[in-house]
Each structure stands twice: as structure tokens, then as C-alpha cells.
Amino acid sequence: MLSCILRGAFAVSALALLALPVQATSVDPQIQPLAKSSLLLDLALAQNGLVSVGERGHVLLQQGDDWQQVATPVDSLLTKVFFLDGQLGWAVGHDATILRTRDGGGNWMLQNQSVELDKPFLDVLFFNENEGVAIGAYGLFYRTLDSGQTWTEEFHGELLFDEDVAYLNDLKGQDEQLYLSERAFLLPHFNRLLQLNDGRLLLLGELGLVALSDDQGKTFEVLDFVYDGSMFNAIEVRDRIYLMGLRGHLFVTDRQFDQFEQVFLPVSATINAATRAADDSIWFVGNAGMVLRMLPSGEVQELAKRQGENIVAVIEDKQGRLWLSGTAGVVQLQQ
């Protein structure tokens, strides 16, 4: 869903690398009483509970059954949050924004932002406290080796279509400036980067992009996928990997990735996210308020349809409660 919402006329500009230690304050006018009901696009587990991120740079921390907003140094839409451990985490979003927290989400430092670039990051992943990557629209791909103090942009030409490779090769010899301009928009949106249990990276994106990397994303191998629509998320459960995307398309494969079997669902709404619960069931959420539960037996149940909502994230907290976030904010799923 996100790449569909975010797709638009993104401007091209030079890369702006910032490392601005801006400290959040409790009196920041960014704090809004209804923030927990605003657009919130992701959820992650930190040491003291869940953290949610979304519009206008909003970050909310779970306080029991309630949520408390904390201030951040940005007002850009935040799309994804990731915690390496209970304290160290990153959030990314529009305007190539990257934030870091060292205290479980209470305070955030701006590490990167480029309003002129006008491209959103859609996912972030760290391998250890120093090395990580952030990915996003039109092949946006940044890497850091120093915990995010500096970021370097990478171009993954191996993910281009063959006809685009030939086009760029011809253009490069004729007009270097036009070549760089065109190159910036030929890659598909990179929607999700999942680190598998064996250490490989699984990349999902637009136009049926499914690719694997065994070198922390320095190079990728495009897989022969069975569907040419956008894929938004993936989850690994035991020895199976589920890939989800547009119009209720859900596929399952094993770690060999040589066959993809479609899982037919009782709904046709886009699937945005999934989580594995403590009882080994898998919860899927998506557009049109869709909430599905897959039992360990493989049976799929439609448990809810929250009218007027698009649900973008789902997670189970330390107390075993399921939380949803999306266009209606963050809410607990009453089972």
C-alpha cells in the first residue's frame, strides 16, 4: 500500500548528508493530544514497550494500555521504525529522513534529511550497532558503517530491467547529466528488506521485485517470481517464508526460493504486514480494515474488518496483546 500512496513526482537533487544532534523537549509544539489517532505506519518492540511512528514526525511510546507521544526534531512522515535491541533504534521516512534513538525511543537525533531529494525511505535494517541500510522509493538505498553518523548512497543496477540497462548504457555515452537524472527514477520502489534466519537479505518491491543478497545488500540476485504486482512485506515462520502484496496476493516458499505457492485468501484487499504470535498463529493485516489469522494448521480465518481503515502494521506486545496501526492510529485488537 505505501508505495502506491507515496508514488508521485519526486524531484532529483544532490545528496544531503546531515548529522544534527537535535534533542527532543517535552514542551515541543509538535506534541498533539490526538496523535495516537493520527496516521501511524509502523510498530516495533523496544525495552519498555512498543513504539509507533507516523505522520508529522510523530513517535508514540506504549504506556500500559495507553500511548504517550514524544517530540522529534522533524515533521516529515515517518514510515518505519527498527530496534536493534531494547534501546538502540532508528526511524525513517519522507524527505530521506533518518532518526536514531539510544534510549528506547524517548529521545531522537536527526542523522539524515534531504527535503530537496523528495524521496521517502520505506524500511531500515541494522546488522549490528554500526552497520545498517535504509531503502525506499525509486531504488533509494543508503548504507552506514558508523551507526548512522554518515550515510552513503548506493545504486543497485543489478535490479534494473534488461531494457533499462541498455537504455542507460546508451545514454551514459551521450549525456552524463541526463544519464544521472534518468537513473534516479528507473529502479522500482524498494518496499521491504527482511533479514532471514540464515543471514541472507530478502528484498521486496514494485513490479514483482523479489531479490536475495548474501553479502548484506551489497549485491542482489533477482528471483524468478510468479507475480508482477507490488509486494509489500514478508515474514519467516520456521522454515517457510510468506510474501504478501497487492489485492490479497499471498505466496509461500521455502528457503530455496525455487517455488512459490499462492495461498488463496477469503479477501482481495492488499496485505501490508504480518506478525507471528506466541501461539504460532500468523496475523495478517491490510487495506479495508482486513485482519486475518492463519492457524498452525494452515487454515485462514477472517477475524475482523475495520470499516474505513487501512491497517499497515501489526505486532504482539510482551503481555501477548495484539496492536494495529494505520490510518486510524494505533489500537489494540480485541480478540
Side-chain angles (χ1 to χ4, degrees):
M1 179 197 75
L2 277 183
S3 65
C4 295
I5 293 176
L6 302 173
R7 193 171 185 89
F10 294 110
V12 180
S13 75
L15 175 65
L17 296 177
L18 303 176
L20 306 177
V22 181
Q23 195 73 17
T25 65
S26 59
V27 295
D28 196 298
Q30 181 189 44
I31 302 297
Q32 299 294 321
L34 299 179
K36 71 175 183 179
S37 300
S38 64
L39 175 66
L40 295 170
L41 296 181
D42 198 25
L43 294 158
L45 185 63
Q47 180 169 317
N48 296 320
L50 299 179
V51 177
S52 185
V53 301
E55 70 173 338
R56 301 191 183 96
H58 289 170
V59 172
L60 289 89
L61 308 184
Q62 184 186 21
Q63 303 287 327
D65 292 335
D66 204 359
W67 293 78
Q68 177 184 350
Q69 186 187 3
V70 297
T72 69
V74 300
D75 59 7
S76 302
L77 174 66
L78 299 177
T79 58
K80 205 72 175 178
V81 59
F82 169 87
F83 277 87
L84 184 67
D85 54 36
Q87 298 290 329
L88 186 58
W90 285 264
V92 298
H94 278 213
D95 303 323
T97 297
I98 303 175
L99 305 176
R100 184 183 68 184
T101 179
R102 289 187 173 274
D103 61 2
N107 292 277
W108 295 85
M109 174 187 294
L110 179 62
Q111 291 194 318
N112 187 86
Q113 190 171 59
S114 177
V115 176
E116 296 81 9
L117 187 61
D118 198 21
K119 288 184 180 181
F121 283 118
L122 300 176
D123 203 2
V124 59
L125 172 67
F126 270 72
F127 312 112
N128 52 56
E129 66 178 33
N130 291 316
E131 299 175 277
V133 294
I135 64 170
Y138 294 112
L140 194 62
F141 198 111
Y142 282 15
R143 184 182 302 273
T144 182
L145 302 176
D146 57 10
S147 195
Q149 295 183 61
T150 58
W151 293 84
T152 302
E153 187 173 11
E154 296 179 0
F155 180 76
H156 285 277
E158 72 272 21
L159 300 176
L160 287 167
F161 292 111
D162 290 341
E163 58 268 28
D164 290 330
V165 173
Y167 169 66
L168 285 178
N169 287 338
D170 290 341
L171 198 60
K172 188 173 184 179
Q174 301 171 19
D175 188 328
E176 181 73 15
Q177 193 62 39
L178 183 58
Y179 160 77
L180 293 174
S181 177
E182 288 292 289
R183 194 182 78 163
F185 294 97
L186 283 180
L187 282 169
H189 294 346
F190 296 161
N191 294 327
R192 181 75 169 99
L193 192 60
L194 174 69
Q195 187 167 31
L196 301 173
N197 292 335
D198 61 12
R200 291 180 297 169
L201 300 185
L202 177 64
L203 175 67
L204 303 181
E206 281 192 313
L207 305 173
L209 172 64
V210 178
L212 282 174
S213 172
D214 59 7
D215 57 7
Q216 294 189 337
K218 297 178 179 67
T219 60
F220 286 91
E221 176 189 359
V222 178
L223 301 182
D224 185 15
F225 193 48
V226 295
Y227 175 60
D228 60 3
S230 293
M231 303 304 294
F232 297 120
N233 218 322
I235 186 171
E236 183 176 15
V237 179
R238 295 179 294 276
D239 59 348
R240 311 196 88 189
I241 297 97
Y242 295 86
L243 298 81
M244 60 209 77
L246 276 177
R247 294 186 287 275
H249 281 88
L250 176 66
F251 301 90
V252 62
T253 185
D254 59 20
R255 293 194 181 100
Q256 301 303 314
F257 288 95
D258 52 4
Q259 291 186 341
F260 296 90
E261 177 185 350
Q262 185 170 359
V263 180
F264 291 96
L265 301 177
V267 297
S268 59
T270 291
I271 315 171
N272 295 315
T275 193
R276 180 184 181 183
D279 64 0
D280 259 358
S281 61
I282 308 172
W283 293 79
F284 297 93
V285 297
N287 290 0
M290 180 197 75
V291 180
L292 301 175
R293 181 188 185 194
M294 178 182 287
L295 302 177
S297 65
E299 178 188 354
V300 178
Q301 304 171 335
E302 183 178 4
L303 295 189
K305 185 167 287 187
R306 302 176 62 87
Q307 296 295 331
E309 295 183 29
N310 289 332
I311 308 172
V312 185
V314 56
I315 197 170
E316 187 176 53
D317 67 15
K318 295 178 180 179
Q319 289 72 44
R321 299 172 298 185
L322 282 166
W323 293 86
L324 314 173
S325 70
T327 55
V330 59
V331 296
Q332 183 181 349
L333 178 63
Q334 303 297 329
Q335 301 180 45

